[in-house]
Each structure stands twice: as C-alpha cells, then as structure tokens.
Amino acid sequence: STKIPHPILYEQIIGPLIHHIALRTNGAAGPSGMDAAGWRRLLSSFRKESADLCEAVAMVAHCICQQFVDPTALDAFTACRLVALDKCPGVRPIGIGEVVRRIIGKAVLAAAGPQVQEVTGALQVYAGQRGGSEAAVHAMRHIFQDANSEAVLLVDATNAFNSLNRQVALQNVLRLCLSIAP
C-alpha cells in the first residue's frame, strides 16, 4: 500500500495556477522544440481548450506529487536538450529541459515552497526566495563595507559544478520536510 503524501498540500495546484505560472515563464525549448512562448500560447489563447489543458497539466502535477510514477514513464518529461557553452578554455554542456516541466516545478514549489523554506530557514539562501543569491551578495557587500567589520566569505558552490549528491539531498528533504514526504 502506497501512502499518499499529504494530498491537501497539492490541492492548490489547479488550472488557474498553471495558467498564472505559464504567463510568467520564459525560456528556450527542450527536446520537443516548444519554447515558453509556445506553452504560454497553448495555455492561454484558446479559452475553454486552454483552460482544459491547464487543468490537465495540474492533474499531471498531482499525479507526480501524490503517487508512484515509474521513472521510465517520465523519460520524455525529464529529458534535456544539450547545448555546448564555451567556457574559454573548455566547453561545458548545459541541459535545457522541457518548459512544461518548469511550469509544473514552479506550481509544486508554490504549494510546497513555504514548508521547504521553513525547514531550511537561513541555511539555504535560495529556498523560496526570489533573487536569493543577489540578496546574499548585497548583504555581504553591506557588511564588508562597514568600517567596523571584517569578513570572510565562504562560498559553497558544490552544485555549481553539478556535483551535489541528489539522492542524499532528496533523502534529507523527505526526512526534514514531512509535509511533502510519503
């Protein structure tokens, strides 16, 4: 018996939320070739059909959040288009995922974000905070420019190089943030 993780938490992921998020999503296309402008058009330009599609996307989000989905069934959803970025010297691959995945991710964050932010608190600058890194930089600049302070900044850029152990991170989130744990 698979336990459903707090369905009330995800009840707020509904068609109008998907529509709202889609209107504010930008970016390049993933493997399907449909960029954010294309998704905005589909989710907002065709009245009833767009509203129905927003509800369908919300139902996909509910399904992913509330029940086990065979990972092989999510291959197309999680696929990325690789682009080579010239780092002078060297080249770094950048993966561009599907726009609908970004829309669903933002909807899930809208639902679960406050709980994740509460659990991570001041330890995680980016948890539910717009411009978290910019805020941290400005705060450190203000402290450092104060004549009475000396500061040393230790930057943990572990995942800047995509080396974070995602399995451990997910286990920690599930252990600490019970509202999203199954």
Side-chain angles (χ1 to χ4, degrees):
S1 68
T2 304
K3 184 181 168 195
I4 296 174
H6 309 281
I8 293 172
L9 177 67
Y10 300 106
E11 282 182 1
Q12 61 187 297
I13 302 176
I14 57 176
L17 177 64
I18 297 295
H19 179 262
H20 175 79
I21 291 168
L23 292 177
R24 285 152 188 77
T25 299
N26 296 300
S32 70
M34 186 176 306
D35 65 3
W39 275 100
R40 274 195 306 275
R41 186 168 186 266
L42 285 178
L43 293 169
S44 66
S45 297
F46 303 104
R47 294 192 179 150
K48 181 180 178 338
E49 290 78 9
S50 291
D52 290 347
L53 182 57
C54 287
E55 290 297 336
V57 171
M59 288 185 348
V60 169
H62 283 242
C63 179
I64 291 170
C65 291
Q66 296 180 349
Q67 56 188 283
F68 174 78
V69 179
D70 182 6
T72 59
L74 294 173
D75 283 349
F77 181 72
T78 59
C80 291
R81 178 173 60 94
L82 291 178
V83 176
L85 182 64
D86 185 2
K87 293 300 281 182
C88 298
V91 176
R92 181 166 181 201
I94 302 295
I96 302 173
E98 289 294 347
V99 174
V100 70
R101 179 180 176 194
R102 286 180 252 156
I103 292 169
I104 289 173
K106 290 176 183 182
V108 171
L109 185 60
Q115 289 83 0
V116 173
Q117 188 174 11
E118 183 179 321
V119 168
T120 59
L123 298 175
Q124 179 54 266
V125 176
Y126 304 105
Q129 186 133 317
R130 282 192 107 82
S133 60
E134 289 87 358
V137 168
H138 289 299
M140 287 306 300
R141 180 180 297 134
H142 177 74
I143 291 169
F144 194 71
Q145 289 176 345
D146 185 341
N148 295 323
S149 68
E150 296 179 22
V152 174
L153 176 63
L154 173 63
V155 177
D156 178 3
T158 303
N159 206 37
F161 302 100
N162 215 17
S163 59
L164 179 74
N165 185 330
R166 284 179 167 68
Q167 191 65 34
V168 171
L170 183 58
Q171 287 172 352
N172 285 335
V173 168
L174 291 175
R175 186 173 55 82
L176 295 172
C177 193
L178 298 177
S179 61
I180 65 171

